[in-house]
Amino acid sequence: MNASHGNEPITYTAHAHAKVNVHLGVAEPREDGFHELVTVFQSLSLHDTVTLTDLGNAEVDKPRVQYLKVSGPHEAGVPEDDTNLAWTAVDRIMQHLYVTRGGIKIPEVGLEIHKAIPTAGGMAGGSADAAAALRLAERCYGRYYGIDSVGDHILDALGAALGSDVPFTLLGGTALGTGRGEQLTSMMTRGTYHWALIASDRGLSTPSVFRKLDELRDAGRASAPALDTTEISQALISGDAQRVAAHLHNDLQPAALSLRPDLRKTLEAGMDAGALNGIVSGSGPTCAFLCASQEDAEEIAAQVSIEIPGTKGVVAQGPAAGAEVL
Ligand code: ATP
């Protein structure tokens, strides 16, 4: 909690961390349309900042989110209404408390999101904001219900219903994700990994990239699913960035490159600038380069973003925390 002055609004702030998939294996589509995944997530220091303000008017009958404001370098394209995942997350906590603990007078709230995570960039920015909003709403409304927590398993379930990446962005660290990526097992790793992230001005829709992969596979133009994470797991335990770099893998990369051939140039530019290895992050179009040091990451981010028009470079370290109220 950041401030509490009598009847004045109380603000709560949380960090919402981006992720990179150091391994992303995509199996065949399931009957529900989702693809079965075997992925290794790493949470990154790069984060959005989500602020929830308790507007203090607990006498209203139907409390709701009163406003949502988005700012920051990646604000473009982020909705400021109830289609924003953070807004939905607050509603879900409210509904859960209402159903399980009964209706009481709780206040309206306002939300602000400072976007530092590229939007529609394959870095789970929206999911991370939702995870942060779940924790913020739990903290804010929990006070009125006299509870500290709704329980981690409830947050996970509410998160998974919002999006496949929400449970990981709640958890953070490094984790093996199966199912839609929402079934998680924390993994042991050593060391800090330095990333140069090159975001593109134009986003890529995640469903379109999965559809493209299915098409490529049907046409025999994409490899079989890479569902074995033994090598990347051992590399992460070794703490050797070079070894991790050698085992970075993304089954979605050929599909992302087919939809956005320009990303090949970005990947080449990162390698030419001295990255240990580079991959498309998740469904892209952000390209993630693993680097030998923080200095290398800064230089590579700067060099590639100057060389490739329509890109922005940023550095991040992993693993980092999950969504956390400050
Ligand atoms: P993932 O890696 O989980 O597939 P992504 O990083 O590619 O996701 P997001 O940045 O999460 O994509 O956003 C995808 C779309 O979701 C956006 O284009 C936007 O319309 C919508 N959206 C809803 N809420 C948010 C939010 N809080 N931040 C960003 N986008 C949001």
Side-chain angles (χ1 to χ4, degrees):
M1 194 185 344
N2 308 100
S4 168
H5 308 289
N7 289 328
E8 289 204 1
I10 302 171
T11 63
Y12 304 83
T13 301
H15 282 169
H17 291 270
K19 60 83 184 165
V20 64
N21 302 80
V22 292
H23 180 98
L24 180 51
V26 182
E28 302 307 317
R30 314 190 304 199
E31 283 200 350
D32 63 5
F34 286 103
H35 290 71
E36 198 73 19
L37 304 181
V38 176
T39 186
V40 177
F41 293 106
Q42 186 176 92
S43 173
L44 299 178
S45 54
L46 176 67
H47 61 268
D48 291 346
T49 302
V50 184
T51 303
L52 180 146
T53 302
D54 172 340
L55 296 170
N57 48 353
E59 63 284 350
V60 292
D61 283 338
K62 285 193 181 148
R64 60 188 296 277
V65 178
Q66 271 292 301
Y67 62 84
L68 188 152
K69 293 181 201 149
V70 181
S71 61
H74 293 286
E75 65 181 22
V78 181
E80 290 190 315
D81 57 18
D82 61 4
T83 63
N84 192 301
L85 278 179
W87 182 311
T88 317
V90 173
D91 283 346
R92 295 285 164 86
I93 291 283
M94 207 156 30
Q95 285 155 9
H96 169 79
L97 288 169
Y98 188 90
V99 169
T100 57
R101 292 171 187 265
I104 60 166
K105 303 269 188 204
I106 52 175
E108 293 172 317
V109 298
L111 285 170
E112 282 159 65
I113 304 177
H114 185 267
K115 289 294 302 177
I117 305 175
T119 301
M123 306 204 70
S127 302
D129 294 346
L134 285 173
R135 290 212 190 279
L136 288 166
E138 173 188 56
R139 180 71 67 88
C140 172
Y141 294 137
R143 272 184 72 219
Y144 292 86
Y145 277 91
I147 56 168
D148 290 334
S149 154
V150 298
D152 282 350
H153 60 293
I154 298 287
L155 274 196
D156 279 346
L158 295 175
L162 288 167
S164 306
D165 289 340
V166 179
F168 176 71
T169 52
L170 278 166
L171 179 69
T174 306
L176 177 69
T178 55
R180 293 185 280 127
E182 88 288 15
Q183 290 164 28
L184 299 168
T185 310
S186 286
M187 291 170 64
M188 206 181 89
T189 71
R190 276 201 188 81
T192 299
Y193 298 89
H194 300 281
W195 296 92
L197 305 163
I198 305 297
S200 165
D201 285 354
R202 287 183 297 137
L204 253 180
S205 120
T206 302
S208 70
V209 180
F210 276 94
R211 270 197 305 275
K212 181 51 103 178
L213 177 62
D214 292 339
E215 267 173 50
L216 292 176
R217 282 192 174 148
D218 288 346
R221 288 169 51 215
S223 52
L227 305 179
D228 184 351
T229 56
T230 312
E231 286 179 320
I232 189 75
S233 307
Q234 287 171 350
L236 286 164
I237 290 170
S238 77
D240 177 351
Q242 205 135 14
R243 192 165 156 195
V244 171
H247 294 293
L248 293 177
H249 178 82
N250 182 0
D251 272 352
L252 285 178
Q253 184 159 310
L257 293 179
S258 165
L259 291 169
R260 288 284 303 274
D262 58 299
L263 297 179
R264 284 180 200 282
K265 284 207 175 68
T266 306
L267 289 171
E268 274 168 30
M271 296 310 289
D272 291 347
L276 297 175
N277 201 359
I279 44 167
V280 170
S281 173
S283 53
T286 303
C287 292
F289 296 96
L290 188 53
C291 306
S293 66
Q294 170 84 11
E295 295 72 42
D296 278 13
E298 281 166 9
E299 206 175 305
I300 291 161
Q303 205 170 309
V304 177
S305 56
I306 290 167
E307 201 173 312
I308 309 285
T311 63
K312 276 196 196 97
V314 67
V315 299
Q317 295 83 46
E324 51 188 354
V325 180
L326 304 179

